[in-house]
Amino acid sequence: MSKYFYGSWLLLFGLSSTLWAQKSSNVETGLKLSPIQKGQVEYSTPAAEDVAKCKAQRIEKGLRIVDPNGLTLREFLDLNGDGSIDQWRYFRDGIEVYRDIDEDGNKKADNYRWFNTAGTRWGTDKNEDGVIDHWEILSVQELTGEIAAALATGDEARFQRVLLTSAELKSLGLGDEKHKLIVEKLRVAKEKFQAAVEAKPIAAESHWVQFSGTRPSTFSAGTEGAQSDVDYYENATCIVNAGGEDTEIAVGTLLRVGKVWKAIDCPQVVTPENVNELAANNVFIRLTAAANPVGGAGANAPSMDELDQLDAKIANAGTSAELAELHAQRADLLEKIAQGATSSEDRALWIRNLADGITGAVQQGAYPNGLERLQQLFETLNANEADKPLAAYVKFRLMSSEYTLSMSKPGVPWMQVRTKWLEDLQKFIEDFPDAPDTAEAMLQLAMENENDGMDDKALELYTAIVQKFANSTSAEKAKGAVTRLESLGKPLAFAAPIHGMTGKQVNVANLKGRVIVLHFWTSWMNDAVREMDKIKEIMAKHPNEVVVFGVNLDNDAATMEKFLQENRVSWYQIHEEGGMDSRPANILGIFSVPTILVVGPDGNVINRNAQMAELEKIVEDVLKK
């Protein structure tokens, strides 16, 4: 939405006419508006062919636009009665998700707020240039999303806006030692951010997936000269995804100032080599001091310097044997640090770091004895009821590493490896029904069941994920898979913008009269060119009866566009960032390509897993009816 498109309320929507509610121009004009914070909120927009079916309705102090089903799409309000719009509200599935607000009445938005499923953010824009100057509300999850976006896009100004300011630091009333430490960390964060961006640690299309941290802590008033309680997270991380690959980003210590969480550290990608250095870079929980083995400190206490030295040696190891020995020493040291932790949370943190470090080394082929080490760690933890959550964490990484290594071994029968993997997943789910990794285990097992044609079992697992692990990263994919598996005989709930056609969106559920083919594909899948040639043949035979929408799941649009140009593919395409984990892929729980769904002329799904070899017959059979 242009910030200059804020003219007279009466002039813009013709409200002086008694027939204003029936005017299609009101609908068309209103739907052309978009949030000032573009790309930061998902809201409903009807397909071009449905715009005429939408209606404008008069409400108190404004106008509401609804879709053909009566769900609210937009609301435009004049709350102060001056004849001009001062609130532009956007909805998704009938629920408000975002609002542009003109608070000072000068016909330009100066506040931006997110609601309901879109989050809690509230940003202000004093100079009304469309860029947020200050955050009024920012949750810790949304803070890490801002950090990840700034790192991915190289937006230093965006990162600076979420750093703790000098005034905010002063308002916290921390003692001199903590104050000086945070001042130094802020200085380093500002200096290092541009270098971090230039290193391109994550892809530009990376999107935030989740926040990762233990429960928040409070540094109490009176401690080390603190004048008031200060809420914080220590050693926090977040997960971003690009092209189906997750990356963990360390965001360090986070502090709460009123309703806003702020950062003080430069973000860094977590690696097996730097995980211990990152864990020690705290403000309130100084893990270095706590890293003493059971039985006392003194000369036998492991130090962070030892870890730094080992990491340096690992980076410069000359032989495989030397590398394996160094990883073994590193695991020994991490285990000692975990044993000497002074709190259960610190101990859990170090054990997870130990498991992650071994797993990374094993999967890189750098620590042949790592599987045995993980097994020993699992058995030790699993023997203690209080350590069951940690045992589950280790076990999932152990079995995943075993599967990865077995798949790469020459001569090992694939079916044998897969069978063991399925058995491991099932046993993990049974042994650790409430562990966070159980959602991923259930998703993997559900997908394998679906591949084997056991749709009922797959549906049961997908549904259980959505119900039991609603906030997990697996739940979104599982929810889409449920929609797909239950889609036969129903309108297909799939809507997305058409690539390269600004403002154009397809909503399959509203398309009737022709056969609709929804083709999920990538340029790297087997027989991609042959698939396209087959679709061309079908369209040539039925040019007026069949419409094809390709949903490309390549990691970037440029790869898709190159393939389309080289192979002269001309039908509509849909592409959004995220590859196999993109929004279009998750809407229907797509986990393999090609996946083809066919919708009949009556608007109902007639096949949710068509094979390309049978697609022409499916189309012709339905056209005969």
Side-chain angles (χ1 to χ4, degrees):
M1 176 179 66
S2 169
K3 60 179 178 294
Y4 303 110
F5 195 55
Y6 295 161
S8 168
W9 169 264
L10 299 179
L11 180 61
L12 180 59
F13 288 110
L15 298 187
S16 57
S17 170
T18 58
L19 299 177
W20 65 270
Q22 284 78 39
K23 286 188 175 182
S24 61
S25 60
N26 294 335
V27 172
E28 294 169 1
T29 302
L31 291 178
K32 287 179 181 178
L33 300 180
S34 61
I36 289 179
Q37 299 304 310
K38 296 184 184 301
Q40 296 195 50
V41 61
E42 293 181 2
Y43 57 97
S44 298
T45 299
E49 59 270 25
D50 290 332
V51 171
K53 302 175 186 176
C54 296
K55 296 180 180 179
Q57 299 175 347
R58 186 172 184 175
I59 59 176
E60 185 178 3
K61 297 188 177 181
L63 180 77
R64 173 183 293 146
I65 298 175
V66 299
D67 70 9
N69 298 315
L71 293 178
T72 302
L73 295 168
R74 309 281 188 275
E75 286 183 353
F76 305 103
L77 305 179
D78 172 18
L79 296 181
N80 63 9
D82 67 352
S84 296
I85 302 171
D86 48 41
Q87 285 198 10
W88 297 257
R89 300 178 178 182
Y90 297 82
F91 293 70
R92 183 178 184 185
D93 299 326
I95 299 172
E96 185 182 8
V97 290
Y98 176 84
R99 187 182 300 180
D100 285 324
I101 303 169
D102 172 18
E103 193 170 81
D104 60 11
N106 70 344
K107 302 180 179 62
K108 292 183 181 180
D110 46 40
N111 279 254
Y112 315 114
R113 296 197 63 176
W114 287 256
F115 294 93
N116 296 304
T117 56
T120 64
R121 285 180 290 171
W122 180 359
T124 58
D125 176 13
K126 292 183 179 179
N127 62 359
E128 300 173 337
D129 63 351
V131 177
I132 291 171
D133 302 316
H134 177 73
W135 289 105
E136 298 290 335
I137 297 176
L138 193 67
S139 68
V140 69
Q141 292 86 353
E142 290 162 324
L143 164 63
T144 56
E146 287 292 308
I147 294 173
L151 184 62
T153 60
D155 191 339
E156 187 169 1
R158 190 170 185 174
F159 176 63
Q160 294 275 3
R161 285 194 292 275
V162 296
L163 280 179
L164 189 73
T165 66
S166 298
E168 289 168 339
L169 175 56
K170 185 177 180 180
S171 72
L172 294 176
L174 291 166
D176 289 344
E177 181 182 348
K178 290 286 188 287
H179 186 98
K180 291 177 182 178
L181 177 59
I182 293 174
V183 167
E184 176 61 17
K185 287 172 76 67
L186 287 167
R187 182 190 67 79
V188 172
K190 294 173 183 176
E191 289 182 355
K192 287 188 173 181
F193 182 77
Q194 194 54 46
V197 168
E198 291 172 358
K200 299 185 184 302
I202 57 177
E205 65 270 17
S206 297
H207 64 278
W208 182 92
V209 175
Q210 70 177 44
F211 168 74
S212 180
T214 58
R215 58 179 176 267
S217 304
T218 299
F219 190 71
S220 59
T223 305
E224 298 180 25
Q227 299 173 16
S228 58
D229 293 347
V230 176
D231 295 339
Y232 68 91
Y233 279 95
E234 204 79 282
N235 199 229
T237 65
C238 68
I239 306 297
V240 300
N241 184 282
E245 294 293 326
D246 286 343
T247 300
E248 185 176 16
I249 300 175
V251 293
T253 302
L254 307 176
L255 302 170
R256 187 170 68 84
V257 184
K259 294 184 177 181
V260 178
W261 283 89
K262 285 297 189 78
I264 62 174
D265 290 293
C266 181
Q268 298 182 62
V269 170
V270 179
T271 67
E273 290 73 28
N274 70 8
V275 66
N276 298 292
E277 177 187 352
L278 294 171
N281 189 29
N282 296 336
V283 173
F284 300 98
I285 302 175
R286 305 295 285 172
L287 295 182
T288 303
N292 296 324
V294 175
N300 294 325
S303 71
M304 300 308 300
D305 287 341
E306 291 179 72
L307 279 173
D308 291 341
Q309 292 167 11
L310 278 173
D311 288 341
K313 290 179 181 179
I314 288 172
N316 297 292
T319 65
S320 298
E322 181 185 3
L323 188 61
E325 175 59 28
L326 288 171
H327 276 294
Q329 293 177 21
R330 191 175 189 276
D332 289 340
L333 194 56
L334 284 171
E335 196 162 333
K336 287 182 180 179
I337 293 175
Q339 291 172 351
T342 57
S343 73
S344 60
E345 288 185 355
D346 291 348
R347 175 175 172 270
L349 170 68
W350 285 110
I351 289 175
R352 288 194 293 268
N353 286 338
L354 169 62
D356 289 341
I358 296 174
T359 299
V362 167
Q363 295 187 350
Q364 293 168 14
Y367 190 8
N369 295 328
L371 288 178
E372 181 181 347
R373 187 65 177 264
L374 282 173
Q375 179 65 33
Q376 292 172 352
L377 179 60
F378 165 71
E379 291 175 357
T380 299
L381 294 168
N382 201 44
N384 184 353
E385 191 63 32
D387 284 336
K388 290 289 185 181
L390 286 171
Y393 188 90
V394 174
K395 181 64 175 179
F396 192 75
R397 280 140 191 83
L398 169 62
M399 54 191 262
S400 298
S401 297
E402 288 175 336
Y403 177 63
T404 300
L405 290 184
S406 296
M407 288 292 287
S408 63
K409 287 182 180 178
V412 179
W414 174 79
M415 281 302 297
Q416 178 181 322
V417 173
R418 182 175 181 269
T419 298
K420 184 179 184 304
W421 173 236
L422 297 182
E423 291 173 350
D424 286 346
L425 289 171
Q426 184 61 50
K427 191 170 190 314
F428 183 87
I429 294 167
E430 294 170 357
D431 291 347
F432 305 102
D434 300 317
D437 286 313
T438 300
E440 178 62 23
M442 293 169 70
L443 183 65
Q444 292 290 328
L445 187 58
M447 292 189 296
E448 295 294 349
N449 284 339
E450 193 176 341
N451 279 332
D452 291 341
M454 296 186 291
D455 290 352
D456 289 345
K457 288 186 176 181
L459 182 59
E460 183 179 344
L461 284 166
Y462 288 136
T463 303
I465 294 169
V466 175
Q467 292 175 346
K468 189 172 183 178
F469 300 98
N471 295 323
S472 70
T473 56
S474 303
E476 187 175 5
K477 182 74 77 176
K479 183 179 179 181
V482 170
T483 299
R484 174 170 48 79
L485 288 178
E486 295 182 336
S487 64
L488 281 178
K490 302 177 183 177
L492 187 63
F494 183 89
I498 298 176
H499 182 75
M501 301 178 69
T502 303
K504 302 294 184 181
Q505 176 168 306
V506 59
N507 186 342
V508 177
N510 293 335
L511 298 179
K512 294 182 180 181
R514 289 190 282 183
V515 177
I516 306 298
V517 175
L518 199 62
H519 180 224
F520 290 84
W521 67 281
T522 63
S523 61
W524 47 260
M525 70 186 188
N526 292 332
D527 296 327
V529 174
R530 189 179 301 174
E531 292 248 336
M532 300 304 172
D533 288 343
K534 188 61 181 178
I535 292 176
K536 289 176 186 176
E537 291 178 15
I538 295 172
M539 294 184 70
K541 289 182 179 179
H542 308 284
N544 299 317
E545 296 88 9
V546 178
V547 177
V548 178
F549 293 98
V551 186
N552 175 262
L553 303 182
D554 281 316
N555 291 334
D556 60 86
T559 301
M560 173 194 69
E561 290 167 350
K562 183 174 183 291
F563 180 93
L564 295 175
Q565 184 175 10
E566 290 176 349
N567 293 280
R568 298 182 179 180
V569 175
S570 58
W571 51 88
Y572 296 118
Q573 296 293 330
I574 292 163
H575 177 91
E576 294 184 24
E577 294 180 356
M580 295 299 295
D581 286 320
S582 63
R583 190 187 67 87
N586 288 339
I587 289 175
L588 295 175
I590 305 299
F591 59 86
S592 65
V593 288
T595 295
I596 304 172
L597 294 94
V598 183
V599 179
D602 63 352
N604 295 323
V605 176
I606 59 174
N607 195 307
R608 55 176 171 75
N609 189 27
Q611 303 302 306
M612 186 56 71
E614 63 182 9
L615 181 59
E616 185 173 1
K617 186 177 186 305
I618 293 172
V619 169
E620 291 181 346
D621 284 349
V622 73
L623 289 176
K624 290 176 183 177
K625 296 179 180 178

